[in-house]
Amino acid sequence: MKVDSSEILNVLFSSNDDFCPYLGVSLYSFLKYNHDEFEKINIFIFDDNIDKSNKEKLNQISNQFNQDLIFIKVSDIQSKFENKLDLMEKEGITSITTYNRLFASSILKDIDKLLYLDADSLIFGSFKELWGFNLDEFYIGAVEDLLSIDIVKTNIGMESSKGYVNAGFLLINLKKWREVNIEEKFLDFQTKTHDKFIFHDQGIINGVCKDHILYLHPKYNLISIFHGIEYEKLIKLGGLTDYYDKKTVEDAQENPVFVHFSGGDLNRPWFNKEQPFHKIYYEYVNKTPFKGQINVKKLPIKDVLFYKFYKSKVLSILLKFIPMGVAVKIANKRVENQCKSM
């Protein structure tokens, strides 16, 4: 039975039990802005041992908007691909959980088009226009990451002129994935290049899909470094010589559709009260059955001071005196050190 249509949105989340409350907040915000935009929404959740009580809470959220959730056990995915687990090992990871979305074309056999959303997020708009994009000649649609620098791209055989994307928001052409047998390409890339890429499945997705990416407006994945940071600062911090223009980025900041709390604890509103979306995030928390389960963590004072400096005008002024060429070298060196430590 085919379940694809321009009026039927197919969405995938993935979560374990610990992260389930954050998934609940993301799910609520998603449904608030999209439940009446489509004739039907199929919401799939790759379920890594989510407790029964947490599943009930997720279902309470979906029921508010007359939608159903479809839970797919990660253990079932592991069982299906058990003979390939050893090929996916990296940094002590012996579970396919980290990589499960790479196998979506086999697991979701009746789906030809899919929207994958990371659960550390808030949604502030409709996906109706996005869902209508022509993806026929592309493997994925995604937003370019701030890690789109030379060393990251060189390590995965990506040309410097192409953009390295963030995999927390993906418009996926599952039909094309099956046509090109992309799962085998993912496995082959991982086994041959596992010591050169970082960020797990994101490195694999970029390495395999690099010539078949539809680059999306950054409003569809407003990653954390965009949150409350002026354009000139983020370009210097990222060492980016070829990126979205200032108008495009500022439009995304003013009118985000998908806000992504990526990049560590300081960028997450449930850790950092100074995070620009902290207040509105908890407004959403309080509308879900997970109210009281997402408590603000206490950050070390050194992290608080670092964040204040990071957001400060002092850093903005200092960055103006750093030539772009030097900023690029610093960014590449920072990521190189990160690669060595992994």
Side-chain angles (χ1 to χ4, degrees):
M1 178 184 69
K2 280 289 177 186
V3 291
D4 284 284
S5 160
S6 61
E7 295 300 319
I8 300 177
L9 175 63
N10 304 310
V11 176
L12 171 65
F13 290 96
S14 183
S15 180
N16 59 21
D17 191 58
D18 290 339
F19 213 74
C20 202
Y22 309 101
L23 167 58
V25 178
S26 182
L27 176 65
Y28 180 93
S29 66
F30 160 69
L31 288 171
K32 176 182 177 180
Y33 286 98
N34 287 276
H35 75 281
D36 58 356
E37 292 285 280
F38 298 88
E39 178 183 321
K40 178 178 174 58
I41 302 177
N42 295 307
I43 306 170
F44 303 96
I45 297 176
F46 281 173
D47 164 20
D48 185 5
N49 294 312
I50 297 176
D51 184 79
K52 181 180 178 181
S53 63
N54 277 335
K55 285 184 181 179
E56 289 175 353
K57 290 177 180 178
L58 291 174
N59 278 314
Q60 286 177 40
I61 294 170
S62 63
N63 289 341
Q64 289 182 54
F65 299 95
N66 297 314
Q67 303 293 333
D68 296 320
L69 302 180
I70 304 165
F71 292 93
I72 299 171
K73 292 183 179 179
V74 169
S75 57
D76 292 342
I77 302 175
Q78 292 174 337
S79 176
K80 180 177 177 62
F81 295 98
E82 185 176 4
N83 63 325
K84 298 178 180 178
L85 282 176
D86 59 327
L87 300 177
M88 302 304 288
E89 290 183 14
K90 178 174 165 56
E91 301 164 41
I93 296 173
T94 56
S95 167
I96 212 164
T97 301
T98 307
Y99 302 97
N100 54 35
R101 62 185 145 164
L102 302 182
F103 298 90
S105 58
S106 288
I107 302 302
L108 304 175
K109 293 182 179 180
D110 294 324
I111 302 295
D112 284 346
K113 191 177 182 182
L114 180 70
L115 182 61
Y116 169 81
L117 307 176
D118 265 3
D120 55 346
S121 60
L122 279 178
I123 289 85
F124 291 106
S126 168
F127 292 127
K128 185 74 172 181
E129 180 182 10
L130 172 80
W131 193 244
F133 288 178
N134 187 334
L135 206 62
D136 290 349
E137 300 305 315
F138 302 96
Y139 295 173
I140 58 171
V143 173
E144 192 171 343
D145 202 307
L146 261 282
L147 282 165
S148 194
I149 55 179
D150 290 346
I151 187 170
V152 173
K153 291 188 278 191
T154 299
N155 280 0
I156 59 174
M158 189 179 238
E159 296 175 13
S160 60
S161 60
K162 297 184 182 298
Y164 177 95
V165 299
N166 183 281
F169 181 101
L170 297 173
L171 184 62
I172 305 175
N173 185 346
L174 291 183
K175 181 179 180 181
K176 178 67 74 173
W177 278 24
R178 295 186 195 98
E179 289 175 359
V180 302
N181 198 13
I182 205 166
E183 289 173 5
E184 292 303 319
K185 294 181 187 294
F186 286 148
L187 287 164
D188 185 60
F189 180 85
Q190 198 279 339
T191 54
K192 290 181 178 177
T193 326
H194 66 89
D195 59 338
K196 295 182 180 179
F197 67 86
I198 57 175
F199 306 116
H200 310 301
D201 52 326
Q202 180 166 290
I204 296 173
I205 288 168
N206 275 276
V208 172
C209 300
K210 60 193 176 192
D211 296 321
H212 308 275
I213 299 173
L214 173 65
Y215 292 95
L216 303 174
H217 192 288
K219 69 180 179 180
Y220 289 116
N221 190 353
L222 193 73
I223 54 181
S224 292
I225 198 168
F226 287 117
H227 302 174
I229 298 290
E230 64 267 28
Y231 180 80
E232 291 79 8
K233 180 187 278 190
L234 71 87
I235 291 297
K236 279 287 183 72
L237 287 172
L240 298 167
T241 56
D242 185 17
Y243 199 60
Y244 298 100
D245 61 62
K246 183 177 180 178
K247 184 178 182 301
T248 300
V249 170
E250 290 182 344
D251 178 50
Q253 291 174 319
E254 292 173 10
N255 304 288
V257 175
F258 180 86
V259 174
H260 189 189
F261 304 114
S262 55
D265 294 348
L266 283 173
N267 298 317
R268 292 180 160 175
W270 54 91
F271 275 102
N272 185 0
K273 290 183 179 180
E274 301 297 320
Q275 213 281 342
F277 289 91
H278 171 81
K279 183 178 179 180
I280 193 169
Y281 189 82
Y282 276 89
E283 289 176 4
Y284 277 91
V285 170
N286 292 334
K287 294 176 181 178
T288 76
F290 294 101
K291 179 181 179 180
Q293 287 185 240
I294 305 179
N295 298 311
V296 180
K297 312 294 193 299
K298 188 172 183 179
L299 289 169
I301 187 63
K302 64 179 180 63
D303 290 344
V304 175
L305 292 174
F306 172 82
Y307 189 78
K308 287 183 180 295
F309 174 69
Y310 168 72
K311 300 279 286 188
S312 71
K313 291 183 179 179
V314 174
L315 179 57
S316 299
I317 293 170
L318 290 174
L319 287 170
K320 290 180 180 180
F321 293 98
I322 298 178
M324 193 63 201
V326 175
V328 171
K329 290 180 180 179
I330 293 172
N332 274 284
K333 189 64 177 178
R334 183 176 65 248
V335 176
E336 182 181 359
N337 291 336
Q338 189 173 359
C339 291
K340 288 178 181 178
S341 66
M342 297 181 73

